[in-house]
């Protein structure tokens, strides 16, 4: 497609900078909540002496409850009819409750048994994740519907993804903050205080998207007054929920996006620890100081490259379309991953930094383009089913990401063991162990990138098709506005 | 509307600044006034021995790490090791450290009996003492970090048994007969050898702990037992130079030895020695300093005996071990091994 042929966003479809910023604040909170327990859980082990296996279990169980709660929340949000909208009330109260629960769940008393802490934290986590879902699912769905424009969606997701990076920059500092003996007597006390700070931050910042964002689809007044018998309503809703779930997971274009995300994101997550291990133990022969310095540098380059990639991808996508942009960006991750094979060199250590910017491009593109593309699928879905179900799509998409991440973390330990790695040997691992570690580190993301490219290459909602769908939807809305449960608020 | 955005932006900015502010000092390692200085006196056996120099590197590295991590303390290492092994000199240095009111002592004992009373004097004066590498078990030291010599001997024997397919004559090179740690290693070998009915242990051979004497004893035993299939060495003395290089046929007699210093690596490369058991000597420093800080600053419960695990070095991990030695501060490692 010639860049000159690309569609120009109509003024009515543009989202103001302020609204994009407000929505992006939700990304900081969302990413913070998504990663914070993983980063703070070390206190459960080193501070309270809970067995690492139990700590791992504490992090794994909510992934299974999410499988139920995420789509239910998506369904509830989709079906909500209130004068404040389908999303904003949940975002508002979800942010306040999740902040409160987070602050409370870390107020762990000292001197109790391991199982006491396990159950205390498990119950706290389950409530936390319930409110996290209450906040995050409608917030994700809101992003899909803030604009109907093909390109403006990508710009919104670019801002969201860019701002969300600040959470990932902050998270690695949390352990250092909790361990800071100038502020806290021990890491447990540090965790208590940090949790309160984070809880307040989440509650205050998390409500911003609810206050400043404008929902595009709102319920007509008559709809919110519609009453049914409680039991009939419940039965009908359960049936509708499963029907909707089935339709969602059968939507081929959506599944392609899920596959693209699952493989690319988790392919990289799966070997995340490998890069550190290889750098420290192979390149620097077990010199943790030098290895950590380079890993810090690697992380900084990755962060800045990701941010630059988000800006670049957003711009390029408006010229050549989302699918081609995704394929180009993921190809760069593929090249970066292959490059790793050649860049782990104990005689030339700085080479470990070379793949970082290339790998970051695909990651920067992923959540910028995928959010925008899922929104396009929601339009297609509405065209075929007559319903707007951003909540359902968003919840299933993000549950798949979260589940994949949990599986990746769990599996990476097994993979490391399978290479023959023995932690006590430090840098003196066998040549075959290092061979397998490097092969996995380079090979898995490379293969995963290839699969992701293949999955998205056959994705059919092009820019032209997207505008056709939109046009048809708008015609239909004009015709059916009197019976449609949702009307466009523009 | 604009005011709303300004307020929200300010809230976010202030929150982020606060969060980053908490971590900032961690990065810079600034030490404001009122920080407690902790001096740990380190007394190893000999400052001429590279093994102990790597332990010193480990201690300094750990002191730096801890000082960066904990804001209220600044840990420094007072390296106070005699040039050559001298137990009496170590005693004198412990007493000097008591006079200087050091905060803690870590020591590798050249002679456990000679040092017991000096260690007790330090502890009675309120200075906690920890031993590493070589213990003084009768003293009031609060902890020891070092290998389990019996287990090390067992590991040596098991690796040798694998190499000779569990059958044939073997001998043990035992070093100084009066060294308790070496005798424990020998007993570990004997214990493990008993599990292999087809292996005949022809004897344990003691000698002066130097290259020439150990090689002489080795060759003498090989003449006595021409069908000898393996050597279990509780120390690496014959491989501490190049003298042995042309005196044995590579691979004919299997050799498993304790110690894996840079000078020994060529023996593994040339298949004269099949397995070396290396000690992570850098950890003598890191673990000792960490344990001392756990005890005197973090008020944590400390295990009295902390075991160091040895690392088997073969041709398969020669490259990794070489890079590890370099990272610990060893010199004179042939560069050709780094790329292996």
């Amino acid at each position: 497609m010639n860049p000159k042929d690309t569609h120009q966003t109509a003024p009515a479809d543009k989202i103001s900078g302020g609204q994009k910023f407000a929505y992006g604040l939700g990304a900081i909170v969302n990413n913070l909540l998504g990663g914070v327990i993983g980063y703070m859980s070390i206190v459960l082990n080193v501070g309270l002496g809970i067995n690492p296996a139990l700590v791992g279990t504490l992090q794994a169980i909510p992934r299974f409850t999410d499988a139920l709660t995420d789509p239910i929340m998506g369904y509830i949000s989709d079906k909500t009819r209130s004068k404040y909208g389908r999303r904003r009330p949940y975002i508002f109260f979800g942010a306040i409750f999740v902040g409160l629960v987070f602050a409370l769940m870390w107020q762990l008393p000292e001197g109790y048994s391991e199982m006491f802490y396990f159950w205390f934290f498990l119950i706290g986590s389950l409530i936390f994740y319930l409110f996290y879902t209450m906040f995050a699912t409608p917030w994700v769905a809101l992003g899909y519907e803030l604009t109907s424009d093909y390109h403006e969606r990508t710009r919104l997701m670019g801002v969201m993804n860019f701002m969300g990076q600040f959470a990932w920059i902050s998270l690695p500092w949390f352990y250092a903050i909790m361990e800071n003996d100038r502020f806290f007597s021990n890491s447990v006390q540090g965790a208590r205080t940090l949790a309160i700070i984070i809880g307040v931050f989440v509650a205050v910042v998390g409500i911003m998207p609810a206050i400043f964002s404008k929902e595009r689809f709102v319920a007509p007044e008559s709809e919110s007054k519609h009453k049914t018998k409680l039991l009939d309503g419940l039965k009908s809703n359960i049936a509708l929920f499963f029907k909707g779930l089935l339709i969602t997971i059968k939507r081929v274009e959506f599944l392609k996006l899920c596959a693209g995300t699952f493989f690319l994101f988790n392919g990289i997550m799966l070997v995340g620890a490998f890069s550190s291990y290889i750098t420290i133990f192979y390149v620097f022969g077990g010199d943790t100081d030098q290895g950590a310095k380079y890993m810090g540098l690697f992380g900084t380059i990755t962060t800045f490259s990701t941010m630059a990639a988000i800006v670049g991808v957003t711009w390029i996508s408006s010229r050549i379309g989302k699918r081609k942009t995704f394929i180009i960006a993921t190809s760069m991750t593929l090249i970066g991953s292959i490059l790793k094979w050649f860049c782990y060199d104990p005689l030339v250590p700085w080479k470990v930094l070379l793949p970082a910017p290339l790998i970051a491009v695909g990651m920067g593109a992923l959540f910028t383009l995928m959010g925008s593309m899922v929104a396009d699928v929601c339009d297609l879905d509405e065209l075929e089913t007559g319903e707007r179900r951003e909540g359902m799509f968003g919840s299933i998409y993000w549950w798949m990401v979260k589940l994949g991440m949990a599986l990746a973390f769990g599996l990476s330990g097994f993979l490391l063991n399978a290479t023959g790695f023995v932690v006590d040997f430090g840098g003196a691992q066998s040549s075959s162990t290092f061979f397998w570690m490097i092969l996995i580190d380079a090979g898995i993301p490379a293969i995963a990138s290839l699969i992701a490219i293949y999955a998205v290459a056959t994705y059919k909602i092009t820019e032209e098709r997207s505008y056709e769908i939109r046009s048809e939807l708008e015609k239909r809305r004009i015709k059916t506005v009197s019976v449609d449960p949702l009307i466009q608020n523009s | 509307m604009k005011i709303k955005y300004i307020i929200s932006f300010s809230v976010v900015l202030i929150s982020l600044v606060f969060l980053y502010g908490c971590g900032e000092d961690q990065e810079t390692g600034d030490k404001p006034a009122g920080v407690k200085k902790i001096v740990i006196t380190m007394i190893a056996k000999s400052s001429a021995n590279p093994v102990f120099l790597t332990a010193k590197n480990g201690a300094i590295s750990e002191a730096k790490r801890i000082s960066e991590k904990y804001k209220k303390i600044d840990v420094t290492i007072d390296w106070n090791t005699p040039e050559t092994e001298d137990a009496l000199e170590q005693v004198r240095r412990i007493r000097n450290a008591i006079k200087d009111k050091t905060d803690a002592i870590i020591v590798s004992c050249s002679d456990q009996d000679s040092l017991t009373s000096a260690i007790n004097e330090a502890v009675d004066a309120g200075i906690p003492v920890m031993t590493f590498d070589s213990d003084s078990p009768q003293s009031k030291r609060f902890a020891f970090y070092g290998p389990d010599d019996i287990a090390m001997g067992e590991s040596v024997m098991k690796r040798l048994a694998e190499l000779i397919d569990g059958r044939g004559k073997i001998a043990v090179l035992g070093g100084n007969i009066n060294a308790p740690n070496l005798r424990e290693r020998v007993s570990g070998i004997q214990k493990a050898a008993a599990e292999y009915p087809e292996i005949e242990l022809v004897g344990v051979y003691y000698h002066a702990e130097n290259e020439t004497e150990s090689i002489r004893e080795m060759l003498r035993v090989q003449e006595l037992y021409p069908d000898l299939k393996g050597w279990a060495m509780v120390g690496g003395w014959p491989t501490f130079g190049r003298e042995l290089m042309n005196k044995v046929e590579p691979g004919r007699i299997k050799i498993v030895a304790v110690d894996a210093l840079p000078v020994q690596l060529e023996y593994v490369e040339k298949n004269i020695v099949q397995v070396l058991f290396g000690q992570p000597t850098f950890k003598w420093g890191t673990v000792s300093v960490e344990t001392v800080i756990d005890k005197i600053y973090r008020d944590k419960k400390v295990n009295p005996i902390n075991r160091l695990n040895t690392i088997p070095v073969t041709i398969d991990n020669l490259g990794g071990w070489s890079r590890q030695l370099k990272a610990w501060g060893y010199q004179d490692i042939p560069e050709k091994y780094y790329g292996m």
Side-chain angles (χ1 to χ4, degrees):
Chain A
M1 186 189 294
N2 187 326
K4 285 179 185 170
D5 299 336
T6 56
H7 178 90
Q8 298 300 309
T9 304
D13 288 331
K14 284 195 173 164
I15 307 168
S16 70
Q19 279 212 47
K20 281 179 186 151
F21 178 76
Y23 183 73
L25 291 176
I28 299 177
V29 171
N30 185 48
N31 291 355
L32 193 64
L33 293 173
V36 69
I37 289 193
Y39 280 92
M40 285 178 67
S41 286
I42 189 167
V43 168
L44 300 175
N45 175 236
V46 299
L48 294 166
I50 304 177
N51 185 309
L54 283 179
V55 176
T57 309
L58 282 171
Q59 291 182 56
I61 291 174
R63 292 285 87 85
F64 296 102
T65 55
D66 279 351
L68 193 67
T69 58
D70 283 13
I72 289 174
M73 189 63 225
Y75 175 79
I76 291 171
S77 175
D78 286 341
K79 294 291 174 189
T80 294
R81 305 288 178 262
S82 87
K83 64 177 178 179
Y84 299 106
R86 298 186 296 165
R87 320 292 182 199
R88 293 163 67 216
Y90 298 112
I91 297 170
F92 186 88
F93 290 108
I96 292 170
F97 290 144
V98 75
L100 184 68
V101 172
F102 185 77
L104 290 174
M105 69 188 277
W106 288 96
Q107 305 309 311
L108 295 153
E110 286 181 75
Y112 285 82
S113 71
E114 186 180 50
M115 289 319 288
F116 171 85
Y117 292 126
F118 177 81
W119 288 109
F120 184 102
F121 202 80
L122 180 62
I123 293 166
S125 299
L126 292 175
I127 300 170
F128 164 80
Y129 279 108
L130 201 63
F131 286 121
Y132 176 26
T133 296
M134 183 181 170
F135 163 81
T137 302
W139 172 79
V140 169
L142 180 66
Y144 295 159
E145 65 180 46
L146 280 177
T147 176
S148 295
D149 186 77
Y150 180 83
H151 294 304
E152 189 66 359
R153 281 174 174 162
T154 309
R155 289 184 203 110
L156 173 70
M157 292 301 157
V159 171
M160 178 275 290
N161 200 7
F162 188 91
M163 290 178 69
Q165 297 303 312
F166 288 101
W168 297 120
I169 296 169
S170 307
L171 284 164
W173 290 97
F174 286 179
Y175 183 62
I177 292 169
M178 291 184 295
E179 279 276 2
N180 191 318
D181 64 337
R182 198 191 302 162
F183 299 129
F184 313 115
S185 58
N186 58 44
S187 57
V188 179
Q189 199 212 339
R192 286 187 198 125
T193 310
L194 183 62
I196 293 170
I197 295 169
I198 292 171
V200 172
F201 178 87
V202 163
V204 173
V205 178
I207 60 174
M208 300 296 174
I211 294 172
F212 295 109
S213 298
K214 191 177 167 188
E215 286 194 33
R216 201 172 180 86
F217 301 99
V218 295
E221 198 63 23
S222 60
E223 185 66 21
S224 56
K225 290 175 183 169
H226 186 71
K227 303 277 182 196
T228 51
K229 282 183 182 174
L230 184 67
L231 195 63
D232 290 346
L234 191 66
K235 276 183 191 170
S236 152
N237 272 318
I238 291 171
L240 284 170
F241 168 73
F242 283 106
K243 186 183 161 203
L245 187 67
L246 210 64
I247 294 169
T248 308
I249 58 175
K250 277 185 172 175
R251 178 120 353 250
V252 176
E253 300 311 301
F254 177 63
L255 292 182
K256 286 174 184 171
L257 299 181
C258 288
T261 306
F262 186 88
F263 284 102
L264 180 58
F265 184 63
N266 295 315
I268 291 171
M269 287 290 117
L270 184 62
V271 300
F274 277 68
S275 299
S276 307
Y277 276 87
I278 297 166
T279 303
I280 292 169
F281 295 109
Y282 176 68
V283 177
F284 289 102
D287 184 340
T288 47
D289 285 350
Q290 278 296 318
K293 273 181 199 164
Y294 268 77
M295 286 321 295
L297 212 51
F298 189 94
T300 305
I301 292 172
T302 300
T303 302
F304 284 110
S305 305
T306 304
M307 289 175 144
I310 292 167
V311 175
V313 158
T314 306
W315 184 78
I316 293 167
S317 159
S318 68
R319 303 279 163 160
I320 63 170
K322 298 170 198 178
R323 188 182 64 186
K324 282 182 187 167
T325 309
F326 179 85
I327 291 170
I328 292 170
T330 309
S331 299
M332 292 178 80
T333 296
L334 171 67
I335 295 166
S337 301
I338 294 169
L339 200 60
K340 276 184 168 184
W341 178 262
F342 304 98
C343 288
Y344 287 123
D345 184 350
L347 299 174
V348 194
W350 59 264
K351 284 204 294 191
V352 296
L353 303 174
L354 291 179
L358 288 169
I359 293 169
V361 174
M363 290 302 273
L366 183 66
F367 292 114
T368 302
L369 295 173
M370 285 294 164
S372 180
M373 291 161 99
V374 171
D376 297 337
V377 172
C378 291
D379 284 351
L380 176 69
D381 182 66
E382 186 189 354
L383 187 72
E384 293 180 5
T385 66
E387 290 186 64
R388 287 212 66 85
R389 300 181 306 115
E390 294 93 344
M392 189 64 96
F393 280 102
S395 62
I396 292 173
Y397 177 82
W398 280 101
W399 175 73
M400 182 266 317
V401 171
K402 288 188 280 182
L403 179 73
M405 206 154 64
L407 287 174
F409 283 136
L411 200 61
S412 69
F414 286 103
L415 269 181
L416 192 63
N417 283 340
T419 64
F421 184 84
V422 181
V423 70
D424 276 350
F425 289 3
Q429 309 294 327
S430 71
S431 309
S432 61
T433 296
F434 283 131
F435 171 83
W436 283 109
M437 285 170 77
I438 296 170
L439 188 67
I440 288 169
D441 189 38
I444 287 183
I447 293 167
S449 301
L450 270 178
I451 297 171
I453 290 169
Y454 174 76
V456 176
T458 56
Y459 172 80
K460 290 193 174 63
I461 307 177
T462 58
E463 182 174 354
E464 294 89 335
R465 178 66 188 134
S466 176
Y467 282 111
E468 281 169 21
I469 292 169
R470 187 184 168 186
S471 169
E472 287 174 51
L473 284 177
E474 282 174 356
K475 278 181 206 161
R476 184 191 288 176
R477 284 191 192 114
I478 291 165
K479 281 183 197 168
T480 60
V481 69
S482 57
V483 292
D484 197 318
L486 295 168
I487 58 169
Q488 193 165 339
N489 181 18
S490 54
Chain B
M1 197 66 171
K2 273 186 178 174
I3 292 171
K4 278 185 179 177
Y5 287 131
I6 291 166
I7 292 169
S8 66
F9 182 74
S10 307
V11 167
V12 175
L13 204 64
I14 290 164
S15 307
L16 285 174
V17 165
F18 184 82
L19 281 179
Y20 282 104
C22 289
E24 198 182 339
D25 292 333
Q26 200 74 20
E27 174 71 4
T28 58
D30 291 342
K31 290 285 172 190
V35 168
K36 187 185 176 196
K37 198 169 172 64
I38 294 177
V39 178
I40 299 175
T41 301
M42 184 171 193
I43 305 171
K45 285 178 182 168
S46 158
S47 64
N49 187 338
V51 164
F52 293 108
L53 293 178
T54 62
K56 176 190 170 189
N57 290 343
I60 291 170
S61 164
E62 185 64 12
K64 183 169 168 269
R65 188 188 71 81
I66 287 172
S67 300
E68 283 170 3
K69 184 175 176 183
Y70 300 109
K71 300 288 125 185
K72 288 183 183 170
I73 54 172
D74 184 16
V75 184
T76 52
I77 303 300
D78 171 27
W79 175 247
N80 209 337
T81 296
E83 173 77 16
T84 52
E85 284 206 33
D86 184 344
L88 291 177
E89 179 60 20
Q90 284 188 313
V91 168
R92 198 180 65 77
R93 289 178 187 232
I94 289 175
R95 288 185 175 138
N96 283 344
I98 298 170
K99 277 185 207 154
D100 293 343
K101 296 189 173 16
T102 189
D103 295 294
I105 296 170
I106 52 177
V107 56
S108 168
C109 305
S110 286
D111 182 301
Q112 62 184 49
D113 296 330
S114 309
L115 266 73
T116 301
S117 61
I119 289 172
N120 290 348
E121 283 170 35
V123 175
D124 292 341
I127 299 167
V129 179
M130 176 171 173
T131 52
F132 66 92
D133 168 41
S134 179
D135 196 12
S136 174
Q138 303 304 318
S139 71
K140 294 179 182 173
R141 54 91 175 128
F142 72 90
F144 166 68
Y145 177 63
D148 179 339
D149 287 303
I150 294 175
M152 194 194 291
E154 288 174 354
S155 298
V156 167
M157 183 61 228
K158 282 174 187 165
R159 291 303 285 254
L160 184 60
E162 283 169 20
L163 289 167
I164 61 170
D165 297 325
R167 67 173 75 92
K169 289 179 182 169
I170 63 160
V172 175
L173 201 63
N176 179 359
I177 194 167
N178 296 317
N181 61 334
L182 299 183
R183 293 186 69 165
E184 283 193 345
R185 291 177 197 175
V186 169
S187 75
I189 290 172
Q190 289 168 325
K191 189 179 158 199
E195 292 172 18
Y196 299 94
E198 292 183 61
I199 287 180
E200 183 190 347
L201 178 54
V202 296
V204 179
Y205 300 93
Y206 296 99
H207 53 87
E209 289 187 14
N210 61 60
E211 185 187 3
T212 308
E213 289 302 315
S214 59
I215 291 174
R216 185 177 298 154
E217 187 64 10
M218 209 182 143
L219 298 177
R220 186 184 71 78
V221 174
Q222 285 178 202
E223 270 183 35
L224 275 175
Y225 300 98
D227 54 346
L228 194 73
K229 290 188 76 178
W231 273 108
M233 301 181 180
V234 298
W237 311 281
T239 53
F240 284 168
R242 301 199 83 256
E243 206 180 317
L244 186 67
M245 204 62 79
N246 300 316
K247 290 186 175 165
V248 290
E249 186 186 335
R252 192 179 72 81
I253 296 178
K254 308 296 181 193
I255 299 176
V256 179
V258 172
D259 294 326
L261 301 171
V263 67
Q264 298 172 267
L265 301 183
E266 197 179 351
Y267 285 98
V268 177
E269 186 203 357
K270 292 197 159 44
N271 194 31
I272 293 169
V273 174
Q274 283 67 43
V275 184
L276 294 172
F277 276 87
Q279 294 193 59
T281 51
F282 187 82
K283 284 190 177 179
W284 286 345
T286 57
V287 173
S288 299
V289 170
E290 186 185 23
T291 310
V292 165
I293 294 301
D294 279 350
K295 164 107 179 144
I296 68 173
Y297 177 68
R298 301 188 72 201
D299 206 21
K300 277 181 75 175
K301 195 178 171 193
V302 170
N303 289 330
I305 302 293
N306 303 276
R307 288 301 180 200
L308 166 150
N309 293 321
T310 51
I311 299 169
V313 179
T314 66
I315 189 69
D316 198 28
N317 66 344
L318 191 58
W321 179 250
S322 303
R323 292 188 293 273
Q324 179 73 84
L325 290 178
K326 185 189 172 203
W328 286 338
Y330 280 97
Q331 309 287 324
D332 306 326
I333 304 157
E335 200 164 296
K336 63 180 175 178
Y337 297 143
Y338 295 152
M340 285 178 82

